[in-house]
Amino acid sequence: MTEQGPAGAKPHRPQVNAETVRRIERASGALGTAAIAAMDKRLPWFRNMSAENRSWLGLVAQAGVAAFLDWIRHPERNRPAVTEVFGTAPRELARAVSLQHAVEMVRVIIDAVEAQVDELAAPGNEAELREAVLTYAREIAFSAAQVYARTAEARGAWDARLEALVVDSLVRGETEDSLPSWASALNWSSSPVTVVVGTIGDEGEGEHKGYTASSAEPHIEELRTQARRARLDLLAGVQGNRLILVVGGIDDPIAAAERFAGRFGPGPVIAGPLVRDLRSASVSARAALAALRAAPAWPEAPRPSGADDLLPERALDGDPDARAVLISDVYEPLVGGGHALLDTLMTYLEQGSSLEATARLLFVHPNTVRYRLRRVAELTDYTPSAGRDGFTLWVAIALGRLAAKHG
């Protein structure tokens, strides 16, 4: 910061006489050229940039010299007009040039000017010009830091709004044509994708507390940090008391949910099915949210659970996707296996999973019942003797029979 005089006084700044100003005016073009040449020689990152970005930074260098000249012309100004320097280049360039690089560039430009102080200054004014150059360098560096800080803050706020928009679109099932470009702006590149949902905050508190993306931002930033460490893409959103995570770059939905489960509030944590890319993530989100709504029907469910683990509860809760899956993947294969197969399964379930009772009622050998039950497991991937699997099979058969009756 500049030194302050008495209260209310303006910061001290060196005075440059008119003859020195005229000399710098005549040499400004050469100074800009010298600054660009110095950048090319001393800054490897500048040499490695595209021709277009190098051209823009050349204009920034020339603007830096011009801003210095304008500043010493007007001694009443306390600070140089930094926007005249960095406002020369397009906004996209800020992403290619870090604050550290910007400060290095300012240093090189100032060095190019300072190297010619003896030639530029009027006789006897060398010390004043050198002081002015050093003061300008300090002020322009501080101002650059402020510009980058404001840009980062605005960028962060914009990214947060865009992230919330993407998550909201996926939750509502509205796959916008602009979704890929939104994702690219958020540096999303990973696939496959799963959506993990649960609550945020203390149990029973979320609905009343009124969580928003902004109030939950510190919590979400911790999730982003955790995802970066695991080299995963992550989009996060808060809706009411629900925390919704879109996770990219992992092959196992349950593994993804386990990684972040500790960041959720009490209650179930549900992982939606794996989908191929972000555009398909609305399918995973719909299944995960349906399972979260139906989860109270299975209080003993593991944490986390897969959305498909709650297919029967989802179907009973009115989820059409779950009903369709149970009918197509369970009921219809059983019907295709023959009447005896379906009849044996229902008898077995109604008799409390007793092989002997089922065999007696059907007038067959227990080994025949065993064979048919093995066939059920092969066709549906559900084992009738397992409690949850038996429940799922029963619900699927009931749904299939209702659909057949009303179809």
Side-chain angles (χ1 to χ4, degrees):
M1 295 178 64
T2 56
E3 295 181 1
Q4 300 291 327
K10 293 182 179 180
H12 167 73
R13 55 164 294 180
Q15 301 294 315
V16 178
N17 70 29
E19 175 59 26
T20 299
V21 172
R22 285 192 291 272
R23 290 186 177 205
I24 296 174
E25 287 175 344
R26 290 193 295 270
S28 61
L31 287 173
T33 301
I36 296 170
M39 288 166 57
D40 190 64
K41 181 179 180 180
R42 293 173 52 183
L43 302 177
W45 58 264
F46 176 74
R47 293 194 299 272
N48 294 331
M49 297 185 82
S50 67
E52 181 181 10
N53 283 345
R54 282 165 54 90
S55 175
W56 277 115
L57 286 181
L59 293 178
V60 170
Q62 292 174 346
V65 174
F68 172 67
L69 179 58
D70 182 69
W71 182 61
I72 61 175
R73 278 200 198 107
H74 300 89
E76 73 279 2
R77 293 182 181 173
N78 295 329
R79 293 181 180 274
V82 67
T83 55
E84 294 178 8
V85 180
F86 296 99
T88 303
R91 290 183 179 181
E92 291 79 4
L93 192 61
R95 299 181 187 177
V97 180
S98 67
L99 174 59
Q100 179 182 350
H101 288 170
V103 172
E104 289 176 355
M105 183 177 66
V106 169
R107 183 182 299 118
V108 170
I109 295 170
I110 296 305
D111 286 349
V113 176
E114 189 178 13
Q116 301 188 43
V117 163
D118 292 338
E119 291 78 15
L120 294 171
N125 196 227
E126 292 86 357
E128 288 78 5
L129 179 56
R130 186 168 284 107
E131 185 182 356
V133 170
L134 295 177
T135 302
Y136 177 78
R138 179 181 59 193
E139 295 296 338
I140 205 77
F142 286 159
S143 298
Q146 292 175 352
V147 167
Y148 270 77
R150 287 195 296 269
T151 300
E153 183 178 359
R155 173 73 179 175
W158 168 250
D159 283 354
R161 289 193 294 270
L162 184 58
E163 183 175 5
L165 178 62
V166 171
V167 172
D168 185 61
S169 296
L170 294 175
V171 167
R172 289 185 284 109
E174 299 176 359
T175 306
E176 303 282 352
D177 292 338
S178 52
L179 185 63
S181 62
W182 292 349
S184 177
L186 293 168
N187 296 318
W188 181 282
S189 60
S190 296
S191 61
V193 178
T194 186
V195 176
V196 182
V197 300
T199 61
I200 185 171
D202 296 332
E203 189 172 12
E205 185 183 67
E207 292 290 352
H208 303 291
K209 188 170 181 178
Y211 285 98
T212 64
S214 59
S215 64
E217 183 59 29
H219 189 74
I220 290 176
E221 185 55 38
E222 292 176 358
L223 287 162
R224 294 192 189 107
T225 300
Q226 187 174 348
R228 284 193 295 269
R229 289 173 180 165
R231 297 181 179 179
L232 301 173
D233 276 348
L234 179 76
L235 300 176
V238 175
Q239 295 186 344
N241 70 330
R242 300 181 306 185
L243 175 61
I244 301 164
L245 306 182
V246 184
V247 185
I250 196 163
D251 295 328
D252 184 348
I254 296 299
E258 287 174 343
R259 184 177 295 277
F260 298 105
R263 299 289 182 178
F264 286 86
V269 174
I270 307 295
L274 205 65
V275 293
R276 67 180 183 277
D277 53 31
L278 189 62
R279 185 181 287 276
S280 307
S282 59
V283 174
S284 185
R286 186 168 63 245
L289 290 170
L292 185 64
R293 288 190 298 269
W298 186 21
E300 298 82 13
R303 175 187 160 108
S305 296
D308 287 351
D309 295 336
L310 287 100
L311 279 173
E313 287 81 6
R314 287 167 53 192
L316 293 172
D317 193 44
D319 178 13
D321 292 337
R323 289 201 301 267
V325 169
L326 289 173
I327 291 172
S328 64
D329 293 359
V330 179
Y331 176 73
E332 290 178 357
L334 290 174
V335 171
H339 175 76
L341 195 69
L342 191 59
D343 192 34
T344 298
L345 173 59
M346 283 306 300
T347 303
Y348 175 78
L349 295 175
E350 289 168 353
Q351 296 303 311
S353 302
S354 170
L355 282 170
E356 291 73 15
T358 302
R360 284 196 302 271
L361 285 173
L362 296 177
F363 300 102
V364 296
H365 194 278
N367 285 341
T368 302
V369 176
R370 291 190 181 92
Y371 168 76
R372 291 175 181 174
L373 295 179
R374 282 197 301 270
R375 183 62 179 153
V376 168
E378 292 170 359
L379 291 173
T380 67
D381 289 330
Y382 289 101
T383 303
S385 59
R388 280 287 303 175
D389 285 8
F391 171 60
T392 302
L393 290 164
W394 202 329
V395 171
I397 293 170
L399 291 171
R401 286 172 172 173
L402 288 172
K405 179 179 179 181
H406 298 293

